[in-house]
C-alpha cells in the first residue's frame, strides 16, 4: 500500500525551512496490514472506553464506594479514558483513511496530553500504593488520615506535577527548526520522536526528557516498591492467617495494574536502547501496547477481583432491568 502525502507536507531539505505540518505513517513496514491491525486497536479502545466509563459511574453513584481506594481508582479510570482517546482515534484515522497529516501545534498538543496523562497515571499508582500501606499498617487511622480534603489535594498535586514537568518541553520543541524529513513513522507524536527531525542541537531535549522520566515515573516505581516492602513486612507480622490472606487479596488488583503499567513501558525502553536490530515496526507496536493494554485491562481486573465493585455493578444493572 503506497502512502499518499499531500504536496504541502512533502519533505523539504532547504536550509532555513521549518516544517509546520508532519505526516504520521502509522506502523512502517506493515502498511498493507493496517486494516487488520486496526481491529484490535478498535476493540481495545471500545473496551477501555466502556469499561472505564462504567467504573467511574459505579463509583460515583454508589455512596458505599466513596472510599479513598475507589476514588483513586476513579482518577485512574479517567486518566485511562484520556490516554486512549488522545491516541487511538488518531491511529484508526491513519489505518482506515490514511489521514496522517498533523500540524506541528497539534502534534505538540498530542504529545503534551499523552505524557501528562502517563505521568499522572504513574502518580495515581503511587498514591494507591500509599493507600494500601495506610489501610494495612494503620487500619484504625485510615479514614482519619485519608480524608476527602486530602484526596482532593493529592489529585490536584498529581495533575500539577505532570503539567509542570512536561510544560517546559513545549518551549524546547518550539525553539527547534524542523528542516529535515517531516514524515514520522509512528501512530502518535512523542517528544524525541519529533525533536530528532530538527536541525538544531537537541541535547537539552534529551537530557531534560531523561530528567523528567527519572524524577517522575522511575521515582514513583521505586517508592511503590518501598511501599510494598513495608506492606509485606506488616502482613507477615500478622498473627492470623486469615488476616494475612485478606490483606494480600486487597493488594492483588493493584499489583496486577502496576505490572501492566510499568512492565510494557520498561520492556519498550529496553528494546529501544539495546534492540538496535529489532525492526522499526516492532518498536512502534510495543509503544502502542503501552497505550492500549493498561486502559483496556484495568477496569476488567478491578471489576473481577474487587468484590464491592462487582456487586455494585451487577446490582445497578439488575435494578434498572426491574
Amino acid at each position: 500500500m503506497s502512502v499518499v502525502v499531500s504536496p504541502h507536507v512533502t519533505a523539504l531539505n532547504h536550509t532555513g525551512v521549518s516544517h509546520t505540518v508532519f505526516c504520521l505513517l502509522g506502523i512502517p513496514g506493515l502498511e498493507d496490514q493496517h486494516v487488520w491491525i486496526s481491529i484490535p486497536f478498535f476493540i481495545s479502545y471500545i473496551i477501555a472506553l466502556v469499561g472505564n466509563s462504567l467504573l467511574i459511574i459505579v463509583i460515583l453513584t454508589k455512596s458505599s464506594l466513596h472510599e479513598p481506594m475507589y476514588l483513586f481508582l476513579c482518577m485512574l479510570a479517567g486518566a485511562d479514558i484520556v490516554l486512549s482517546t488522545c491516541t487511538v482515534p488518531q491511529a484508526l484515522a491513519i489505518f482506515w483513511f490514511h489521514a496522517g497529516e498533523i500540524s506541528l501545534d497539534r502534534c505538540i498538543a498530542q504529545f503534551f496530553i499523552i505524557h501528562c496523562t502517563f505521568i499522572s497515571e504513574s502518580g495515581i499508582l503511587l498514591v494507591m500504593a500509599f493507600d494500601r500501606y495506610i489501610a494495612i499498617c494503620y487500619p484504625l487511622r485510615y479514614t482519619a488520615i485519608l480524608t476527602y480534603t486530602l484526596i482532593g489535594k493529592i489529585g490536584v498535586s498529581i495533575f500539577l506535577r505532570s503539567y509542570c514537568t512536561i510544560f517546559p518541553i513545549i518551549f524546547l520543541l518550539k525553539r527547534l527548526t524542523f528542516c529535515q524529513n517531516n514524515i514520522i513513522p509512528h501512530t502518535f507524536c512523542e517528544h524525541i520522536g519529533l525533536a530528532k527531525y530538527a536541525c538544531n542541537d537537541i541535547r537539552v531535549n534529551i537530557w531534560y526528557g531523561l530528567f523528567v522520566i527519572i524524577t517522575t515515573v522511575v521515582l514513583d516505581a521505586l517508592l511503590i516498591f518501598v511501599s510494598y516492602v513495608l506492606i509485606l513486612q506488616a502482613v507477615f507480622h500478622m498473627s492470623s492467617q486469615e488476616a494475612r490472606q485478606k490483606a494480600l487479596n486487597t493488594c492483588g488488583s493493584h499489583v496486577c495494574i502496576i505490572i501492566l503499567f510499568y512492565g510494557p513501558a520498561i520492556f519498550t525502553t529496553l528494546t529501544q536502547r539495546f534492540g538496535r536490530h529489532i525492526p522499526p515496526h516492532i518498536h512502534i507496536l510495543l509503544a502502542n501496547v503501552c497505550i492500549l493494554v493498561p486502559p483496556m485491562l484495568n477496569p476488567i481486573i478491578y471489576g473481577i477481583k474487587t468484590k464491592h465493585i462487582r456487586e455494585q455493578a451487577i446490582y445497578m444493572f439488575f435494578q434498572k432491568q426491574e
Side-chain angles (χ1 to χ4, degrees), residues 222-236:
L222 289 174
L223 292 175
I224 289 171
F225 176 77
V226 171
S227 297
Y228 270 96
V229 169
L230 296 174
I231 288 171
L232 289 174
Q233 285 180 344
V235 167
F236 290 122

Side-chain angles (χ1 to χ4, degrees), residues 22-35:
F22 294 82
C23 184
L24 293 166
L25 288 185
I27 302 175
L30 297 178
E31 287 86 355
D32 292 339
Q33 307 298 321
H34 272 178
V35 174

Side-chain angles (χ1 to χ4, degrees), residues 125-269:
L125 290 176
L126 173 60
V127 297
M128 289 174 79
F130 173 71
D131 167 78
R132 291 300 83 206
Y133 170 74
I134 299 296
I136 291 170
C137 299
Y138 304 97
L140 299 179
R141 297 176 57 195
Y142 180 64
T143 53
I145 294 173
L146 289 173
T147 61
Y148 290 140
T149 303
L150 181 60
I151 292 169
K153 289 178 179 178
I154 289 172
V156 172
S157 299
I158 289 170
F159 170 76
L160 288 177
R161 183 188 70 153
S162 60
Y163 181 88
C164 291
T165 52
I166 298 299
F167 189 72
I169 298 179
I170 295 176
F171 297 99
L172 291 178
L173 286 172
K174 280 287 191 179
R175 73 184 177 89
L176 300 177
T177 301
F178 298 97
C179 59
Q180 297 189 37
N181 191 5
N182 65 337
I183 309 299
I184 303 175
H186 213 308
T187 56
F188 56 84
C189 296
E190 57 168 346
H191 176 206
I192 300 302
L194 180 61
K196 70 181 182 181
Y197 291 111
C199 295
N200 316 68
D201 187 349
I202 63 168
R203 280 180 294 182
V204 175
N205 295 67
I206 293 171
W207 283 109
Y208 184 74
L210 185 62
F211 167 78
V212 169
I213 292 295
I214 291 173
T215 56
T216 55
V217 178
V218 174
L219 181 61
D220 290 347
L222 289 174
L223 292 175
I224 289 171
F225 176 77
V226 171
S227 297
Y228 270 96
V229 169
L230 296 174
I231 288 171
L232 289 174
Q233 285 180 344
V235 167
F236 290 122
H237 279 89
M238 292 178 179
S239 56
S240 169
Q241 175 68 30
E242 185 181 348
R244 284 200 295 268
Q245 189 64 41
K246 185 178 179 181
L248 290 173
N249 285 339
T250 61
C251 298
S253 300
H254 186 235
V255 171
C256 289
I257 286 179
I258 289 170
I259 293 170
L260 273 176
F261 181 82
Y262 290 105
I266 292 170
F267 186 71
T268 300
T269 302

